[in-house]
């Protein structure tokens, strides 16, 4: 079974530029997550999709970040314009189903995209 | 809200030493608890999990027991190997209210094992 795919693996941009990341989840997984991992910290959820609908985007800086999941499969995360503090690893994860009373089902993570904003 | 606190690192051990990484949590509802591992240059991988109080998760010689009374989920291994060198993350998830199963992570603990 193929894992979660992400591209690009690395990206360097200047502040105020825009950037987009792509994620292809494991086939058949209904739930997709984007996390931001700043160096030295644990990942933090940015947005969660259930099929192609947004379930949680409470931590997404909506003035500069946007995300979509067309047809309930692939997803893109965009930053426009980027700031220095956006330098981080952006992780995509997917799960077969969303959640139950006790929390989430196992989430499978992609390799991440390391973004450097100069 | 939900939060996870891990012991600060980094942790440096000799091969075959005993490992403990402490993890405590605060959560609303009935959390599931996880340990994820991130090897150098790789993505996060689930190491073990526990979904209810007193459950013990185990994998690859690692163990952790869900202690509701102390709100803890400490990771242990009796004899570490050089190949265990990685960053370890404690995490929890809940569902209900404003949470839909997202993972809340601790800050991570860097483990280095020397031969």
């Amino acid at each position: 079974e193929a894992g979660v795919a992400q591209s690009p693996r690395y990206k360097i941009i200047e502040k105020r530029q825009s950037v987009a990341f792509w994620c292809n989840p494991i086939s058949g997984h209904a739930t997709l997550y984007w996390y931001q991992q700043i160096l030295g910290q644990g990942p933090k959820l940015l947005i969660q999709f259930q099929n192609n609908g947004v379930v949680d985007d409470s931590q997404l800086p909506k003035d500069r970040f946007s995300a979509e999941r067309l047809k309930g499969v692939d997803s893109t995360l965009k930053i426009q314009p980027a700031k220095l503090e956006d330098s981080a690893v952006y992780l995509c994860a997917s799960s077969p189903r969303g959640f139950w009373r006790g929390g989430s089902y196992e989430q499978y993570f992609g390799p991440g995209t390391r973004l450097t904003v100069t | 809200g939900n939060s996870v606190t891990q012991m600060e690192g980094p942790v440096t051990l000799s091969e075959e030493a005993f490992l403990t990484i402490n993890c405590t949590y605060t959560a609303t509802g009935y959390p599931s608890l996880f340990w994820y591992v991130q090897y150098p240059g790789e993505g996060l991988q689930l190491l073990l999990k526990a979904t209810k109080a007193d459950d013990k998760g185990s994998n690859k010689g690692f163990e952790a027991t869900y202690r509701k009374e102390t709100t803890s989920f400490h990771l242990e291994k009796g004899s570490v190997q050089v190949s265990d060198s990685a960053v370890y993350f404690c995490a929890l998830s809940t569902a209900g209210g404003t949470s839909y199963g997202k993972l809340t992570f601790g800050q991570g603990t860097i483990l280095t094992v020397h031969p």
Side-chain angles (χ1 to χ4, degrees), chain A residues 9 33 35 37 40-45 48 55-56 58-59 91 98-111, chain B residues 30-32 34 36 38 41-46 49 51 89 93-96 98-108:
Chain A
R9 292 293 308 276
Y33 309 81
Y35 291 87
Q37 185 179 12
Q41 300 180 18
K44 181 186 76 172
L45 181 75
Q48 176 181 346
V55 173
D56 184 352
S58 58
Q59 298 298 306
L91 298 167
F99 50 89
W100 59 292
R101 186 179 67 89
S104 75
Y105 292 94
E106 179 177 348
Q107 297 182 24
Y108 297 81
F109 284 81
Chain B
Y30 302 92
S32 293
F34 306 84
Y36 278 82
Q38 190 170 35
E42 298 184 17
L44 283 165
Q45 302 174 25
L46 178 66
K49 66 179 181 181
T51 58
F89 293 93
S93 69
T94 59
T98 59
S99 178
Y100 301 91
K102 70 180 182 185
L103 287 167
T104 299
F105 287 89
Q107 72 271 34

Side-chain angles (χ1 to χ4, degrees), chain B:
Chain B
N2 296 340
S3 67
V4 176
T5 302
Q6 286 182 239
M7 67 182 288
E8 296 196 8
V11 175
T12 302
L13 296 173
S14 298
E15 207 165 26
E16 299 183 2
F18 184 85
L19 168 71
T20 299
I21 301 177
N22 290 337
C23 171
T24 57
Y25 67 89
T26 302
T28 55
Y30 302 92
S32 293
L33 302 175
F34 306 84
W35 276 100
Y36 278 82
V37 59
Q38 190 170 35
Y39 297 104
E42 298 184 17
L44 283 165
Q45 302 174 25
L46 178 66
L47 180 60
L48 54 84
K49 66 179 181 181
T51 58
K52 61 182 187 294
D54 300 324
D55 268 3
K56 177 184 284 188
S58 61
N59 186 27
K60 299 181 180 180
F62 291 88
E63 293 183 339
T65 301
Y66 188 143
R67 300 288 188 198
K68 188 176 180 181
E69 63 276 12
T70 55
T71 62
S72 65
F73 193 55
H74 305 321
L75 182 68
E76 296 182 337
K77 186 174 186 182
S79 177
V80 294
Q81 305 300 312
V82 173
S83 57
D84 294 327
S85 297
V87 184
Y88 292 81
F89 293 93
C90 185
L92 68 82
S93 69
T94 59
T98 59
S99 178
Y100 301 91
K102 70 180 182 185
L103 287 167
T104 299
F105 287 89
Q107 72 271 34
T109 301
I110 299 172
L111 171 66
T112 302
V113 181
H114 292 300

